[in-house]
Amino acid sequence: MDLIVGTAGHIDHGKTALIKALTGIDTDRLPEERLRGITIDLGFAELDLGGVHIGFVDVPGHERFVKNMLAGASGIDLVMLVVAADEGVMPQTREHFDICRLLGVDNGIIVLTKTDLADAETLEIAMLEVAELVSGTPLEYAPVVPVSARTGYGIEALRKELARISGGITSRNSASVSHLSIDRSFSVKGFGAVVTGTLASGRIDEGSDMQLLPDGYNVRVRGIQVHGRKVSTAMPGQRVAVNLGGIDHSKVARGMVLVDPDVLWPTQMFDAETEVLADSAQPLKTRQRVRVHLGTVEALARIQVLNDTGEIEPGSRGFVQVRLESPVVAIPRERFIIRKYSPQITIAGGTVLDNAAVKHPLKELPAVHKFLNELVHSNDAASMILAMVMKAKTDGLSYSNILARTGLERNAFSAAIAANVESATIRDCGGIYLASNEFDELSRIAKSVLVDFHRREPLEKGMSREGLRDRAFVHLPNEVFQAVISTLETNGTIVTEKDTVRLSAHRTELSPSEQALTDSIRSTFADAGLAVPRLDEALSDAAASAGLGLPVAKKLFARFLDSGELVKVTEEFYFAKHTIDRLTETLRKYASAGDKTIDVARFKDLAGVSRKYAIPLLEYFDQTRVTARSRDKRIIL
């Protein structure tokens, strides 16, 4: 099992010396750090305790380097809260402890260092101060181990305590997307760009394609090291160095995130649950400019408090929207820290809930609170997905949109969304997902529109598909429209024919005058044979004889076309289908007699028509592959 243990504590309280005593490794790697005797940037070491392999992250204690401390604290599983026995709890002890608590680090050991410099009374006072600091927190009952890095006192006891506590820590979630927040980047001659960080979730495989966000660079993993050892795969909880191909070192910076390709999207706005520190001097306010520390990135942002007062009082929790000045990668359930813009002090921390947030009007806050509370209390990926899809209402969400908003790796995500589809809480509309109740409502609306159409247009066989979409599905994805229509057709509610849609129960009942007009139109074209009148003349005469208007005649005429009883040859000439079928048979009999070619003159004689009809009919037969033109003749096929 691999765990990351981070130090926290005031400057010069012996954090680096403690790690050196435990591991034999001096984490002060920079010349300036060794010269000044303080840790400026992150330092790393490792310790093998049998069944547990520990990677140590040594963070700076000086207040000027808290942002560096935050870059390291974001990935730790267990904190060693370091307090010098001869000085007790100091300002940075408190801030570091607050940061670890706000980041959700619930496992820890309190280490009292420099015990060789403190008498019994001073040591007791330090222990009382520590007990007061951690009272009411997850570290209230954490073990307290007195040590001296100089003499070696307590170091072995600390190793044993680390092994004991580590055995009870749950492994990181492997269902989440591969996610490495970069805390260092450099170039190695002959290898190129190398990035380091703590692999928070997922896995990284040698040879795999990945992305660097938020810039969106596509890179390839050329090699992986874990604590200096070459490996083919890095797992969650390991300190990892990744050699990247396809990018120059100069384009990589702390705060970038190495992730699986085409899963996560950068964002400049996310909704979150936030806790304001009880000892904060002021409430967290709407429009307050702050520094947000998420993973290893520090970004400037404005806060929008999502309540009526626009404030969250010290010691209280609430929902906020974080509006960033630059894009970041935010994963649901990821913890972050809020510090004042100036002076730079920690004032709050929170948990990312919705990484694809939009601005919320004041009147929508009750619905926003309901949604965010559902995300807070969702105990599995399926319930989180359901909450997101339900919030989208009839717009639905695409597969890639939901994937980016959950932070799951693809297999886990597919299983979670499939569970919703199988339980019928979500409908899959060709890759767009709708809550089942919204899908049912769209189906009801579509039926209602068709009922209204049939009432207004009883002679129409059906409503055009585009007309139905414009009335019931305007601005909605086409996939949703197609899915609703397909479902209604499958369950027998509607019938689709060509480009029209009608209710299956719809029947056209003609009045006596309409029936008379219908019979007149039928006889006009049936009796005319190949000498049909022009369409406008035929319909005008038939409408006048029936005492009905031309619009009614056109609607009844359209029924003949829909049924196939009449065939359109040109915009002017329409023929009874049986007449066209007889002429087709005549042509094929003529061809079977030996001569398969025919010209206009022979066709006129064969059909008994004038040129007015012969040319349109021959062109129609060309289109329907009864004949094929060859210069000034036709070949009968």
Side-chain angles (χ1 to χ4, degrees), residues 180-463:
L180 181 74
S181 292
I182 295 169
D183 50 40
R184 291 174 59 202
S185 69
F186 49 90
S187 180
V188 176
K189 188 174 181 179
F191 292 91
V194 176
V195 299
T196 69
T198 300
L199 186 55
S201 58
R203 57 185 285 167
I204 298 177
D205 294 311
E206 185 177 7
S208 62
D209 294 320
M210 303 194 78
Q211 273 186 320
L212 269 175
L213 297 178
D215 296 65
Y217 296 122
N218 293 316
V219 296
R220 187 167 183 81
V221 177
R222 297 172 60 183
I224 307 170
Q225 286 191 357
V226 173
H227 297 296
R229 293 181 294 275
K230 183 175 175 59
V231 297
S232 59
T233 299
M235 302 301 291
Q238 293 180 332
R239 282 292 309 171
V240 182
V242 185
N243 179 205
L244 298 178
I247 191 168
D248 188 82
H249 155 63
S250 62
K251 294 182 179 180
V252 186
R254 173 180 286 179
M256 287 184 170
V257 183
L258 185 65
V259 297
D260 288 331
D262 304 320
V263 175
L264 297 173
W265 298 344
T267 182
Q268 285 189 240
M269 191 182 302
F270 62 82
D271 290 344
E273 184 181 36
T274 302
E275 175 189 353
V276 180
L277 291 174
D279 57 1
S280 178
Q282 297 175 327
L284 186 65
K285 300 180 180 181
T286 285
R287 293 200 57 76
Q288 183 174 348
R289 197 175 191 219
V290 297
R291 300 174 186 272
V292 173
H293 293 263
L294 180 72
T296 58
V297 71
E298 177 189 26
L300 298 177
R302 296 276 182 183
I303 295 296
Q304 184 73 24
V305 177
L306 302 178
N307 63 27
D308 295 335
T309 67
E311 297 183 355
I312 300 177
E313 295 295 329
S316 300
R317 290 176 174 269
F319 294 126
V320 301
Q321 186 167 92
V322 179
R323 299 176 180 175
L324 298 135
E325 297 180 15
S326 56
V328 303
V329 177
I331 299 178
R333 309 295 179 127
E334 188 176 6
R335 300 284 190 128
F336 63 94
I337 297 296
I338 298 175
R339 305 190 82 213
K340 286 188 70 173
Y341 178 71
S342 182
Q344 295 184 38
I345 56 175
T346 302
I347 55 175
T351 305
V352 176
L353 296 177
D354 183 5
N355 61 1
V358 296
K359 292 184 178 181
H360 307 301
L362 193 62
K363 64 181 180 180
E364 293 182 5
L365 287 185
V368 172
H369 277 226
K370 179 178 180 295
F371 169 60
L372 295 179
N373 270 311
E374 287 173 349
L375 293 183
V376 169
H377 296 105
S378 58
N379 53 15
D380 56 32
S383 58
M384 179 170 62
I385 289 170
L386 178 60
M388 291 176 178
V389 172
M390 290 184 70
K391 182 177 182 293
K393 298 186 177 178
T394 54
D395 288 332
L397 293 175
S398 68
Y399 182 97
S400 58
N401 188 304
I402 309 172
L403 177 62
R405 295 174 70 169
T406 59
L408 295 174
E409 62 89 22
R410 290 182 183 275
N411 290 334
F413 173 76
S414 296
I417 206 163
N420 277 301
V421 173
E422 289 168 7
S423 65
T425 56
I426 286 177
R427 297 293 294 265
D428 181 358
C429 303
I432 302 294
Y433 294 86
L434 255 68
S436 292
N437 63 318
E438 298 290 351
F439 186 92
D440 294 342
E441 177 63 12
L442 285 175
S443 300
R444 186 197 66 76
I445 293 171
K447 288 187 288 185
S448 177
V449 168
L450 287 172
V451 167
D452 181 61
F453 174 82
H454 290 319
R455 179 184 57 78
R456 290 184 292 103
E457 302 287 350
L459 296 182
E460 292 285 355
K461 187 172 183 180
M463 188 177 190

Side-chain angles (χ1 to χ4, degrees), residues 89 112 137 161 171 176 233 325 341 407 421 424 426 504 516 549 577-578:
V89 173
L112 292 176
T137 74
E161 201 60 52
S171 300
S176 296
T233 299
E325 297 180 15
Y341 178 71
V421 173
I426 286 177
S504 57
K577 185 177 184 301
H578 64 82

